[in-house]
Amino acid sequence: MAQRKKMTNKTNLERRMRILVGDDNPQVRESLARDLKLRNLEVDLVSNPQEVVAKARTGNYDVVVSDLQYTPEGREGYDVLRELQNIRAKKVLYTAQSGFESESEALELGVDYFVSAKDASRLYKLLDELKGGNRK
């Protein structure tokens, strides 16, 4: 019995952090996936806000990274945040849009982190910190 418990604990410690990435741009998705996998993270990719919401609600992810704009005039990332306010995963809005208004609205909708797509290194640093045990 003790041996089985020991194996379970080891398995839990070795579990890789799971990331869901939603972005309409295939180059952005693939670039993020490549870089995140190099950090030993499990990554699933989706291309629209409906898929982000559906997959995130499964509870299988530690972090959900979503774009703000899935269409040229869109603000779908805010809809994603609105739909996912009660999930346990950390929510990251990863977007080229920036400014006080964008960040304020995202914070009101429960985003945990607002990261500029112009600074991917900040996203990677954040995920490295979360992977290191700073998760809730």
Side-chain angles (χ1 to χ4, degrees), residues 19-22 52 62-68 70 77 80-81 84 87 89-95 106 110-116 122-124 126-127 130:
I19 312 295
L20 175 63
V21 174
V52 174
D62 299 295
V63 179
V64 176
V65 178
S66 177
D67 188 14
L68 174 60
Y70 288 83
V80 168
L81 291 174
L84 299 179
I87 67 167
K90 296 291 186 185
K91 294 170 286 296
V92 179
L93 201 54
Y94 183 71
T95 180
V111 73
D112 294 295
Y113 305 97
F114 191 97
V115 179
S116 171
R122 183 167 171 242
L123 176 65
Y124 303 143
L126 167 66
L127 293 174
L130 292 173

Side-chain angles (χ1 to χ4, degrees), residues 13-79:
L13 291 173
E14 292 175 352
R15 186 181 77 76
R16 294 190 301 170
M17 192 164 76
R18 295 199 63 200
I19 312 295
L20 175 63
V21 174
D23 198 294
D24 61 306
N25 184 320
Q27 290 85 8
V28 170
R29 287 193 311 270
E30 294 302 323
S31 175
L32 286 174
R34 181 187 63 247
D35 292 342
L36 296 175
K37 287 176 182 177
L38 287 173
R39 287 173 162 70
N40 200 30
L41 302 170
E42 289 186 39
V43 182
D44 287 339
L45 305 174
V46 295
S47 61
N48 65 61
Q50 295 81 11
E51 289 178 297
V52 174
V53 170
K55 282 196 169 251
R57 284 186 173 161
T58 66
N60 294 330
Y61 299 96
D62 299 295
V63 179
V64 176
V65 178
S66 177
D67 188 14
L68 174 60
Q69 291 184 300
Y70 288 83
T71 60
E73 301 82 28
R75 295 164 45 91
E76 296 87 358
Y78 293 129
D79 296 334

Side-chain angles (χ1 to χ4, degrees), residues 5-19:
K5 186 174 183 178
K6 190 174 186 179
M7 286 180 61
T8 302
N9 287 340
K10 184 177 180 183
T11 302
N12 289 339
L13 291 173
E14 292 175 352
R15 186 181 77 76
R16 294 190 301 170
M17 192 164 76
R18 295 199 63 200
I19 312 295

